[in-house]
Amino acid sequence: MQGETLPDWVAGIVDHWSYLVGTCILSSTFGHQFVTDLCYAEAMRIQIHLPIAIGMTAFALVVGCSNSIQPTLTGRAILPADTFAGGPSSGTHIGQGPFHGQTVPFVGSQPVQGFSAVLDDGNGVYLAMTDNGFGTMENSADFHLRVYRIRPNFKTADGGAGTIEVLGYFELSDPYKNVPFAITNHFTSDRVLTGADFDIESMQRAADGTFWFGDEFGPFLLHTDAQGVLLEPPIELPDFDNSGQFIRAPQNPLHEEASAVRVMNAVRRHAQLHDNTKPPVFSPYHVMLDYDGADPDKHYARGANEQPGLAAAVSNIFSIASIQNAGYPIVTWTVNDKPRMLELLGQGVNGIISDRPDLLLEALSEFDADGNGTGGDYLTAQGLVDSSVFDAQGHRGARNLRPENTLPAMEAALDNLMGTLETDTAVTGDGVPVLNHDPYISVTKCQRTNGQPYDDPAEQVLIKDLTVQKVQSDFVCNKLIRDPPQDNNIDLSPVTKEFRIDPGLADEYVMPTLDQLFDFVDAYVEYYKTGAGASHADAEARWRNAASVRFNIETKLNPRRDSDSLGNVYYNRTVEYRRFTAAVAEVIIRRGLESRADIQSFDFRTLIHAQANYPAIRTVYLFGDFPIYNHQNSDDGTNLQDENGANTPWLAGLTWPYRSTLRLQPFRAGRSGGFEGMALTADGKRLLALLEKPLDGAGNTLLIHEFDLASRQFTGVRYEYPLDSQPGAESPDAHAIGDFIMIDEKRGLVIERDGTQGDLDGYKKVHLIELPQGGGRVDKTELVDLMKIADPDRISAGPQNGVGEGGETFAFPFVTIEDIVLIDPFHIGVLNDNNYPFSVGRHVSQDLPDDTEFIIIELPVRLVF
């Protein structure tokens, strides 16, 4: 290059750089903020001309040469952990407690805690957004999503109370039904959103005054008005690496795997609003249960002989742990082999419905719950099934031992000490519930008493067209349709033989009424307590069990074939669902059996109606998927299959994402890996949504996705944020981001932290980042180490100093630090999410839950010019 001259722009940079170095030396030597500002300003001028990487080096030099001016604590305000606002009781699903001295639930109130985003609202007031509540979808259905208005009175070197005043709040809600899936308050008019519906972790306010929230469960973007009312459906994040797919997390409600808890939350809340305090029961087909180690194909039953074009789906979609953690007992059906029974017992299901009560009793006798080598842990000292820990149910009595839904079948279930008799019901033309699985008198199970042929399915008689007298006088249902050991020898049913005489039943195998079932159980007790069976070896066990036996009574309707939610008839096979439900419920109430009888159904209309009108009766929600093969001739379809592409008619308006499972689309976003941080660009036109975890759980790079507010579209522009942690770390050393804001068109601030709490060696930092033009890897440099903040004025000193407070160096040792706000060119505010009542990062020795702390940090450099 001899003889050549440097380009003017390079020469200019050399001049700038020389000036920069000299200015920074002055800053380092004298520690004067004005000189530091000159140094910083010159670095910014250089960045105008230099590539980003070199420009950021210039900024790093500024930070390095101004070490004599450390980030300094200049203000601190504290919101005590035990701060509550009005609202419904909360914390009812987080466990027994107490948690670090805090008792649960929080009766009649909501914790004002768990802040995950903050915005400056002017005049010393801030908007602080709560996240999903208690940490999971399963335990936060009673936590309302809110944005609180708070006014901190900072303690500074010049005084100040160091307190935070809560001025009010608004709640997120969906009264216009923009959410396309089940939410907790589905059946209310205001439809307040809860932490089981969304896990909001970030918030921005647009120029029009509306709010945008970043959610982790979807992940979704939520758009509300200034009062928190949802304005449009949740917006999904497209998967720009896989055309036609979306980035989804395991809690995404558009998948079957994450939908059961949401549906159950909706029906439980409906029950509670009608003074039904009994948690509804979740009752799925056993092959659909998921648990650690479950083989999705071992019990696969959803892929064989299905309709052409029906999407294949994984079988195991219902997580035992998730559903139970949400507060729902799981009673699964229909399990008929002992090894499978023992497997499910080992997974902790709360009950099993079986056609083989004899095998179920054997399994319970062998099951070793506590692992001490001795079985029978679910049995009492008298050898009875302990109903407080397990619900053993005889399906249709004992379907594989006797003809189903008959008194001999019920007798067989009682002989095998089942704690619950499960049965189906139909309703006759004169309004009497009878025990029967089908809307008609089945030609495969029953015959005419007069000897006339009854074997043509086309001639099957609908029960709703007969009186109960005709049902019991004209038909007997004693046919053997199951493999041995099903047996109809009446000598095997001595109680039935004796009982039928008093009500004058024509045969032991006539179709009994629900009333007659209740009478029969009373007769069974007397038979073995004082009657002819009192000398039987098992007499005492039998009568004691029968004296408290429960009844699980199913309403057998099919909304595909019977009637719609308004009672409009399709095929007119059964009585209308409200009349059906009333017929069953009123017998239960008249007999005073509300505490011992449940109403169950695949048709959720009947259960919703029962909750609203008969709140003393517990409801059981059946879930199954036996796809329709021929719509006109199939009697089933059960309740998850959609209706020719529309939502299933079985679930009382609650939506179900039929056959949308992992087999169609994987979960690329991690659990708690959604939109943790979300910045608004300086021009107010775009959101920059930052995922908390790497996609597919691989590497240590997070993605920032650009969203255009005007078009309501993700643009496809992506930025890569590199975490400082090692790839794949699954420990407290693993890093995540806590918040993300922009301070000008190119630069932003990101909180990055590890998973430690109460550890002064933990990683909690604020980084300054710069976005490259058009996407790509961001450059970042450390701005503040939140574990090493100077406190020369002892602002953090108090009567009982905890970890990292009270000395010359202040630390922010919380597990989640999720809020950052720009105060002015020299100061930022940072808040912690205290995960109330779980996190203990400050007052570790006292085992006290963390308060919410709002700190003001003076920076060594000016951020904004």
Side-chain angles (χ1 to χ4, degrees):
M1 297 181 61
Q2 188 173 1
E4 296 183 16
T5 59
L6 292 173
D8 291 343
W9 69 269
V10 176
I13 290 171
V14 172
D15 291 341
H16 286 316
W17 192 272
S18 300
Y19 181 71
L20 171 66
V21 172
T23 308
C24 288
I25 289 173
L26 289 174
S27 172
S28 178
T29 303
F30 298 106
H32 196 282
Q33 185 65 55
F34 174 73
V35 181
T36 298
D37 290 345
L38 289 177
C39 176
Y40 181 77
E42 192 62 24
M44 293 301 101
R45 291 173 63 193
I46 289 177
Q47 287 192 75
I48 295 172
H49 301 288
L50 286 177
I52 293 171
I54 303 175
M56 291 299 288
T57 302
F59 176 81
L61 176 61
V62 175
V63 176
C65 74
S66 60
N67 280 340
S68 60
I69 306 177
Q70 291 179 271
T72 302
L73 183 69
T74 60
R76 187 189 189 204
I78 295 174
L79 183 68
D82 297 330
T83 301
F84 297 91
S89 297
S90 57
T92 55
H93 310 301
I94 65 176
Q96 295 298 313
F99 299 101
H100 311 298
Q102 315 307 300
T103 58
V104 292
F106 311 118
V107 179
S109 62
Q110 300 272 310
V112 185
Q113 299 293 337
F115 294 153
S116 286
V118 64
L119 297 176
D120 189 342
D121 202 35
N123 299 315
V125 175
Y126 295 85
L127 300 177
M129 181 204 76
T130 60
D131 56 15
N132 89 307
F134 304 111
T136 71
M137 176 181 73
E138 290 79 8
N139 67 12
S140 300
D142 56 11
F143 186 91
H144 285 195
L145 301 183
R146 290 177 173 176
V147 175
Y148 286 91
R149 297 181 68 248
I150 61 173
R151 177 183 285 119
N153 181 354
F154 293 104
K155 178 183 177 182
T156 68
D158 298 323
T163 58
I164 296 177
E165 181 184 4
V166 179
L167 304 176
Y169 63 85
F170 64 82
E171 295 184 323
L172 274 63
S173 62
D174 182 37
Y176 304 124
K177 299 184 178 181
N178 281 306
V179 177
F181 45 82
I183 62 173
T184 299
N185 288 305
H186 183 92
F187 294 104
T188 66
S189 59
D190 52 1
R191 289 168 55 92
V192 171
L193 298 177
T194 74
D197 307 323
F198 298 99
D199 182 4
I200 51 175
E201 295 286 349
S202 46
M203 171 180 66
Q204 290 294 342
R205 180 164 46 192
D208 61 2
T210 63
F211 288 93
W212 289 86
F213 298 88
D215 155 76
E216 287 201 329
F217 286 163
F220 298 113
L221 294 182
L222 304 179
H223 186 205
T224 78
D225 68 11
Q227 287 74 45
V229 175
L230 202 64
L231 296 174
E232 55 191 291
I235 299 172
E236 282 203 273
L237 172 62
D239 185 345
F240 292 102
D241 298 321
N242 297 281
S243 179
Q245 295 196 347
F246 296 90
I247 300 297
R248 290 181 175 174
Q251 306 100 319
N252 189 293
L254 303 178
H255 273 240
E256 287 190 316
E257 289 90 341
S259 294
V261 167
R262 286 179 166 83
V263 168
M264 293 302 294
N265 286 344
V267 298
R268 176 175 62 192
R269 183 60 181 150
H270 178 269
Q272 293 169 344
L273 291 171
H274 292 87
D275 299 320
N276 189 327
T277 60
K278 300 175 180 178
V281 177
F282 180 75
S283 189
Y285 186 31
H286 71 97
V287 304
M288 303 172 80
L289 289 173
D290 188 29
Y291 47 87
D292 289 341
D295 182 344
D297 294 316
K298 181 177 180 182
H299 300 288
Y300 191 75
R302 298 215 292 159
N305 301 318
E306 295 187 345
Q307 290 174 287
L310 185 61
V314 293
S315 177
N316 301 358
I317 61 171
F318 298 137
S319 166
I320 292 176
S322 175
I323 291 163
Q324 289 178 331
N325 289 341
Y328 305 105
I330 298 175
V331 179
T332 189
W333 54 273
T334 302
V335 189
N336 294 331
D337 65 280
K338 191 163 68 174
R340 177 63 170 160
M341 293 173 183
L342 289 168
E343 181 181 12
L344 292 170
L345 285 168
Q347 296 302 322
V349 298
N350 305 98
I352 289 176
I353 302 173
S354 179
D355 294 322
R356 290 292 303 272
D358 54 335
L359 294 182
L360 182 52
L361 183 60
E362 287 181 16
L364 289 166
S365 299
E366 296 173 13
F367 180 59
D368 181 12
D370 57 17
N372 67 354
T374 302
D377 293 324
Y378 285 177
L379 302 182
T380 67
Q382 294 76 32
L384 305 182
V385 178
D386 187 346
S387 60
S388 68
V389 296
F390 192 78
D391 190 0
Q393 299 198 18
H395 185 233
R396 307 184 195 178
R399 180 169 61 158
N400 281 10
L401 300 180
R402 307 288 182 270
E404 67 180 51
N405 285 317
T406 62
L407 294 180
M410 300 299 157
E411 184 170 349
L414 292 173
D415 289 348
N416 287 284
L417 304 181
M418 292 295 97
T420 299
L421 299 177
E422 192 274 350
T423 187
D424 309 296
T425 55
V427 176
T428 65
D430 49 348
V432 178
V434 293
L435 276 53
N436 194 57
H437 177 268
D438 310 299
Y440 40 74
I441 298 177
S442 169
V443 297
T444 61
K445 304 169 189 175
C446 306
Q447 55 189 317
R448 292 187 183 274
T449 55
N450 62 9
Q452 294 297 312
Y454 189 66
D455 52 18
D456 184 353
E459 296 180 358
Q460 292 179 130
V461 180
L462 290 172
I463 293 174
K464 71 146 188 107
D465 292 337
L466 300 176
T467 65
V468 67
Q469 190 276 330
K470 290 289 289 183
V471 168
Q472 293 191 333
S473 64
D474 290 3
F475 298 93
V476 60
C477 298
N478 61 352
K479 288 185 179 180
L480 299 177
I481 62 170
R482 312 284 288 187
D483 293 333
Q486 191 184 46
D487 196 329
N488 61 7
N489 181 355
I490 197 58
D491 291 335
L492 299 173
S493 309
V495 181
T496 305
K497 284 179 68 175
E498 182 175 292
F499 170 78
R500 81 167 181 88
I501 298 171
D502 185 49
L505 298 179
D507 188 275
E508 287 85 356
Y509 283 100
V510 300
M511 195 178 296
T513 67
L514 186 58
D515 255 320
Q516 287 166 350
L517 171 62
F518 296 154
D519 290 338
F520 171 76
V521 171
D522 291 340
Y524 185 96
V525 171
E526 295 305 314
Y527 182 89
Y528 283 105
K529 185 176 183 180
T530 60
S535 61
H536 192 282
D538 299 321
E540 183 173 3
R542 289 184 175 185
W543 74 257
R544 288 190 181 277
N545 175 69
S548 60
V549 74
R550 292 183 52 82
F551 304 91
N552 190 13
I553 305 160
E554 183 176 349
T555 58
K556 292 304 295 188
L557 295 95
N558 184 335
R560 299 187 203 276
R561 304 292 299 273
D562 299 321
S563 62
D564 65 16
S565 62
L566 299 177
N568 299 315
V569 171
Y570 285 161
Y571 292 92
N572 198 28
R573 302 186 318 162
T574 68
V575 301
E576 190 267 340
Y577 79 91
R578 285 163 290 202
R579 181 182 168 197
F580 199 129
T581 307
V584 172
E586 287 169 9
V587 173
I588 294 171
I589 293 169
R590 175 165 47 79
R591 299 298 295 263
L593 291 171
E594 296 96 322
S595 64
R596 290 171 57 188
D598 302 332
I599 295 178
Q600 69 171 350
S601 191
F602 289 102
D603 182 353
F604 290 5
R605 299 172 306 164
T606 67
L607 303 178
I608 296 297
H609 185 72
Q611 288 175 344
N613 294 278
Y614 310 99
I617 301 174
R618 188 173 69 167
T619 49
V620 179
Y621 286 79
L622 293 165
F623 286 76
D625 179 21
F626 293 95
I628 300 170
Y629 309 133
N630 181 318
H631 187 77
Q632 292 302 318
N633 295 326
S634 173
D635 186 47
D636 216 338
T638 47
N639 59 345
L640 298 187
Q641 187 174 11
D642 58 19
E643 183 81 348
N644 300 320
N647 187 49
T648 172
W650 294 83
L651 305 191
L654 296 163
T655 56
W656 188 263
Y658 188 57
R659 294 302 177 90
S660 175
T661 70
L662 282 172
R663 187 155 294 190
L664 283 180
Q665 183 168 288
F667 297 133
R668 296 197 64 201
R671 191 173 294 274
S672 296
F675 295 138
E676 180 70 32
M678 184 173 66
L680 181 67
T681 57
D683 60 11
K685 295 181 178 180
R686 288 161 292 136
L687 295 171
L688 300 173
L690 174 54
L691 296 172
E692 185 176 5
K693 294 181 180 179
L695 292 183
D696 305 314
N700 69 334
T701 299
L702 308 181
L703 291 181
I704 303 171
H705 287 80
E706 181 184 80
F707 180 80
D708 181 71
L709 289 175
S711 66
R712 300 290 197 271
Q713 298 287 326
F714 283 94
T715 66
V717 174
R718 294 183 291 181
Y719 302 94
E720 300 171 358
Y721 178 88
L723 294 168
D724 284 352
S725 60
Q726 294 300 311
E730 293 293 341
S731 70
D733 296 327
H735 287 200
I737 65 98
D739 202 3
F740 169 38
I741 62 172
M742 294 295 289
I743 56 176
D744 58 33
E745 193 59 33
K746 293 198 307 180
R747 297 175 305 127
L749 301 177
V750 173
I751 297 174
E752 184 177 337
R753 42 88 178 172
D754 62 10
T756 63
Q757 61 176 341
D759 181 0
L760 291 177
D761 293 323
Y763 180 105
K764 323 283 182 182
K765 295 184 178 182
V766 177
H767 292 288
L768 179 72
I769 70 166
E770 183 167 346
L771 305 181
Q773 184 69 32
R777 189 177 181 87
V778 308
D779 285 293
K780 71 177 190 178
T781 189
E782 181 182 317
L783 181 64
V784 179
D785 185 342
L786 294 171
M787 303 302 289
K788 298 175 182 178
I789 303 170
D791 187 12
D793 297 314
R794 299 296 200 279
I795 290 172
S796 67
Q800 191 174 36
N801 291 326
V803 174
E805 64 179 348
E808 292 185 357
T809 300
F810 174 73
F812 220 48
F814 303 107
V815 65
T816 48
I817 305 170
E818 299 187 353
D819 312 88
I820 189 167
V821 61
L822 183 67
I823 303 296
D824 60 39
F826 288 109
H827 297 85
I828 59 173
V830 177
L831 294 82
N832 65 303
D833 173 4
N834 66 351
N835 299 312
Y836 183 81
F838 302 117
S839 294
V840 179
R842 179 72 77 191
H843 299 291
V844 177
S845 61
Q846 294 85 15
D847 191 33
L848 294 176
D850 288 327
D851 304 316
T852 291
E853 301 185 17
F854 191 160
I855 60 173
I856 304 297
I857 303 171
E858 183 178 30
L859 302 174
V861 293
R862 176 188 287 269
L863 280 184
V864 181
F865 283 85

